[in-house]
Amino acid sequence: MNIGFLITARLKSTRLKRKILLPLNGYTVIERVISRAKKVVEADKIVLCTSNDPQDSTLAGTARKNNVSYFNGHPDDVLQRLLGAAEFFGFEFFVGITADNPLFSIHHARIIKGMFTEDSTIDYVFTSGMPIGVNIYGINVKALKTVCAVKEQIDTEIWGPLMNRPEIFNVIELKAEKDYQRDNFRLTLDEKDDYKVFKAIYNNFERDAVIDVLEAYKFLDENNHVYQINEGVNQKSLNRAQLNKIDNFFTQEKSNIIRIKSNFFNNSITKV
């Protein structure tokens, strides 16, 4: 079973320009994410999924410098980019994260990898209960192929509701253990205040440390003025109208989507 680790990364951010190239105690944000991924899978199974937009060409060099692969895909369609990378490298399943999350849970990424190893019927697994930026997910490539064949929208930056369809797929919610649960931390990188939080955390550890997220929690618990820095940052999400549109689409097209999924899982060719 070929299980990879896909990191989605682009340099198009507007709120905090080129944020994943910002330094965190000697390494860039994206390098911190790569270092964590190496604790989950072998380096040759890590792919930096960026776009074919010229502004993202720098990231290919970052991948080479850190001895991981890269894939230049669709500039806006994140799911199509992930699918292209997974198929190109021959992955059957993959664990995934965005480059905005340099403290994602290595522990849960390993659990998800193990779940795929033990049960090939899983289509989509996601963690819950942890701060934004710590949660992680895993996808069966055939399930992703199904979604890419039927989805209507192109900009899939926020794509969770497309995969989290228990009526179509074998979806598992992996609820975090109590020690990993927090509702007062924000650990993703969107704005300057988020960056201040990450800088404070990483500067508290040795330069080459791959920080255990529980150790990061401990630091924040002892320094509550740090996690309060980004309390006012709003997280981008789909509105109710957008979610209703997705729900209605899957309700109306359920039988057709199941047929398409069946064809993909039986390795036959489906025309959409």
Side-chain angles (χ1 to χ4, degrees):
M1 184 175 295
N2 198 357
I3 302 173
F5 196 111
L6 303 186
I7 303 169
T8 52
R10 288 214 52 195
L11 297 178
K12 69 172 185 176
S13 55
T14 56
R15 285 186 284 178
L16 185 60
K17 294 185 181 300
R18 298 172 70 85
K19 59 185 177 181
I20 63 174
L21 298 182
L22 293 173
L24 287 177
N25 194 11
Y27 296 93
T28 63
V29 172
I30 182 59
E31 287 176 319
R32 292 296 186 183
V33 176
I34 291 171
S35 294
R36 299 181 78 75
K38 288 179 179 178
K39 296 292 184 179
V40 181
V41 300
E42 300 84 353
D44 63 355
K45 290 192 175 183
I46 299 171
V47 181
L48 188 58
C49 299
T50 187
S51 85
N52 50 24
D53 190 309
Q55 71 173 336
D56 294 323
S57 59
T58 300
L59 295 176
T62 300
R64 289 191 292 267
K65 176 184 174 184
N66 290 273
N67 299 311
V68 299
S69 301
Y70 66 92
F71 180 83
N72 298 327
H74 198 289
D76 297 313
D77 193 332
V78 178
L79 290 183
Q80 194 62 53
R81 194 188 319 153
L82 287 169
L83 177 59
E87 291 185 319
F88 183 85
F89 289 96
F91 297 146
E92 299 168 79
F93 304 87
F94 65 85
V95 181
I97 197 70
T98 75
D100 302 341
N101 300 332
L103 280 174
F104 73 82
S105 175
I106 297 170
H107 168 66
H108 292 91
R110 288 171 173 166
I111 290 176
I112 290 174
K113 180 187 176 186
M115 291 172 68
F116 282 142
T117 301
E118 296 174 4
D119 186 355
S120 62
T121 69
I122 298 173
D123 293 325
Y124 177 56
V125 55
F126 65 98
T127 61
S128 65
M130 295 184 286
I132 182 169
V134 180
N135 285 295
I136 193 99
Y137 68 88
I139 295 179
N140 181 323
V141 175
K142 289 181 180 178
L144 178 57
K145 187 180 294 187
T146 302
V147 169
C148 286
V150 301
K151 66 181 175 59
E152 294 184 318
Q153 55 267 55
I154 295 299
D155 186 350
T156 52
E157 183 178 357
I158 301 175
W159 48 261
L162 297 174
M163 290 298 312
N164 191 3
R165 312 304 311 188
E167 72 273 30
I168 304 291
F169 300 116
N170 181 10
V171 177
I172 296 179
E173 178 181 0
L174 178 61
K175 295 182 179 180
E177 304 91 318
K178 185 176 180 180
D179 287 348
Y180 285 87
Q181 296 175 16
R182 287 291 193 283
D183 58 11
N184 55 339
F185 298 158
R186 172 185 164 83
L187 292 171
T188 192
L189 181 60
D190 282 323
E191 298 188 5
K192 187 176 181 179
D193 285 344
D194 296 325
Y195 179 54
K196 289 178 181 178
V197 172
F198 281 120
K199 279 188 68 176
I201 294 171
Y202 271 92
N203 287 342
N204 186 65
F205 292 86
E206 295 294 327
R207 179 180 183 273
D208 292 329
V210 179
I211 302 170
D212 187 302
V213 71
L214 294 182
E215 288 299 312
Y217 286 1
K218 181 180 178 182
F219 169 77
L220 292 174
D221 286 335
E222 295 172 352
N223 298 273
N224 56 18
H225 65 283
V226 175
Y227 72 76
Q228 290 171 354
I229 292 173
N230 64 350
E231 283 184 333
V233 177
N234 292 320
Q235 182 62 31
K236 184 178 179 182
S237 61
L238 297 177
N239 60 42
R240 174 46 54 188
Q242 292 170 312
L243 291 172
N244 287 341
K245 180 181 178 182
I246 294 172
D247 288 343
N248 291 337
F249 172 75
F250 275 91
T251 298
Q252 296 168 5
E253 298 293 327
K254 180 179 177 180
S255 60
N256 185 45
I257 295 170
I258 290 175
R259 176 185 61 81
I260 292 170
K261 176 192 174 186
S262 176
N263 286 335
F264 278 133
F265 275 70
N266 291 328
N267 295 314
S268 59
I269 298 174
T270 301
K271 295 182 179 180
V272 181

